[in-house]
Amino acid sequence: MNTRALTLSAGAPASLALPALALALFCVVVLALGSGAVSLSPTAVLGALFGADVGSEAELVVRTLRLPRVLLGVIAGAGLGIAGAAMQGLMRNPLADPGLVGVSSGAALAAACVVVLGERAMSAGGWLASSALPLAAFAGAALTTAVVYAASRRNGRSSVTLMLLSGIAINALAMSGIGLLMFMGSDAQVRQFTFWTLGSLAGATWPSVVAASLAVALALGALLRQAGPLDALSLGESQAAHLGVATARLNRSCVLLIALAVGATTALTGTLGFIGLIAPHLARRLVGPAHARLLPASALTGAALVVLADSAARTWVAPAELPIGVLTALFGAPFFIALLRRRAAHEST
């Protein structure tokens, strides 16, 4: 017997959910491209995207100013969505979230260390300066993911209490480290720290979009290859091992891939909390628990959530702009409390 035999299946409605989510994301992207200081109709946005209005103001606004930002939002949301789905599957815990358990904060702290302590290398330019931040964010995310995973384990199972307490401790440690670095840093570096802690898509460029898309696509493709083993892991580690799953190798590969997705997005967008928690829950209601569908559905849902949040951040208090992390926390925190209450009610029955 192998994991393929245990791969969870979905019915016909679930099979239509992925195309429906992709269509919904496309509509959200078109609306986001038309929102801002210069409001554009969906027809004008589509004309600018597909070359019907070459050289027009709409083409300049859409292609040059807004498209890189919206695409970075799509990629960041997709990365956080698949990281959340993979982390919940790995820990067999629906409350696992890269931001909630400190993975995003760990990535931000590592990147902040590079900004202050590696100032000379950053100012030198070249490949070292361009790759230092993403590599540091990846290393910080990998280290914190491994620490949270190890700390949450008890008698071979993941403990919700230990996971949340570990996340609280790591978040506090990361915020303390960032606070210390802010004290040591210059005014320009303090502004960069604010970017890390509150999150923003304002720094989107085409090179950053390409780099993030490659990292997230690699993580999604590799995690999809682990969909069957992750389904088997939902039965428990010993049962998964009896079905032929190399659980230790699965744990290591998932930790690295989660870190890759979170590190790549955090390095470019800062901390966007709760997307990795909300997206898999919404996606699971549409496509079921099978990871072969849950991972791409979580990517599409997370992408739509981040693009919607960024559109609201750009238009809510225009011409000023809210940090996007403020909005994701504003809506994510009540969602998390509702999940906790539902879980407590379920455990008491």
Side-chain angles (χ1 to χ4, degrees), residues 247-276:
T247 55
R249 188 172 61 186
L250 175 65
N251 293 338
R252 287 195 299 271
S253 63
C254 285
V255 165
L256 289 176
L257 294 170
I258 291 168
L260 177 63
V262 175
T265 55
T266 305
L268 298 171
T269 67
T271 303
L272 305 179
F274 293 104
I275 298 298

Side-chain angles (χ1 to χ4, degrees), residues 106-279:
L109 175 60
C113 287
V114 171
V115 172
V116 173
L117 306 179
E119 184 178 13
R120 180 172 297 179
M122 294 288 292
S123 62
W127 67 270
L128 180 60
S130 61
S131 60
L133 275 179
L135 288 176
F138 168 72
L143 179 62
T144 50
T145 304
V147 168
V148 169
Y149 178 74
S152 68
R153 310 252 320 146
R154 188 176 184 181
N155 298 327
R157 295 183 62 84
S158 174
S159 164
V160 178
T161 303
L162 289 177
M163 183 193 70
L164 294 178
L165 290 176
S166 303
I168 291 171
I170 290 174
N171 272 320
L173 181 63
M175 290 301 106
S176 174
I178 290 176
L180 177 61
L181 291 168
M182 288 179 70
F183 177 76
M184 297 168 56
S186 63
D187 290 344
Q189 290 166 339
V190 169
R191 284 194 292 273
Q192 281 187 286
F193 291 144
T194 304
F195 163 79
W196 292 114
T197 53
L198 298 180
S200 174
L201 301 179
T205 60
W206 283 114
S208 67
V209 169
V210 172
S213 62
L214 290 175
V216 171
L218 175 62
L220 176 59
L223 283 172
L224 281 174
R225 293 174 62 87
Q226 306 289 356
L230 282 172
D231 289 345
L233 195 62
S234 65
L235 301 174
E237 282 204 14
S238 58
Q239 290 85 346
H242 286 308
L243 292 170
V245 175
T247 55
R249 188 172 61 186
L250 175 65
N251 293 338
R252 287 195 299 271
S253 63
C254 285
V255 165
L256 289 176
L257 294 170
I258 291 168
L260 177 63
V262 175
T265 55
T266 305
L268 298 171
T269 67
T271 303
L272 305 179
F274 293 104
I275 298 298
L277 175 71
I278 299 174

Side-chain angles (χ1 to χ4, degrees), residues 11-25:
S15 66
L16 299 176
L18 283 178
L21 281 172
L23 179 61
L25 176 59

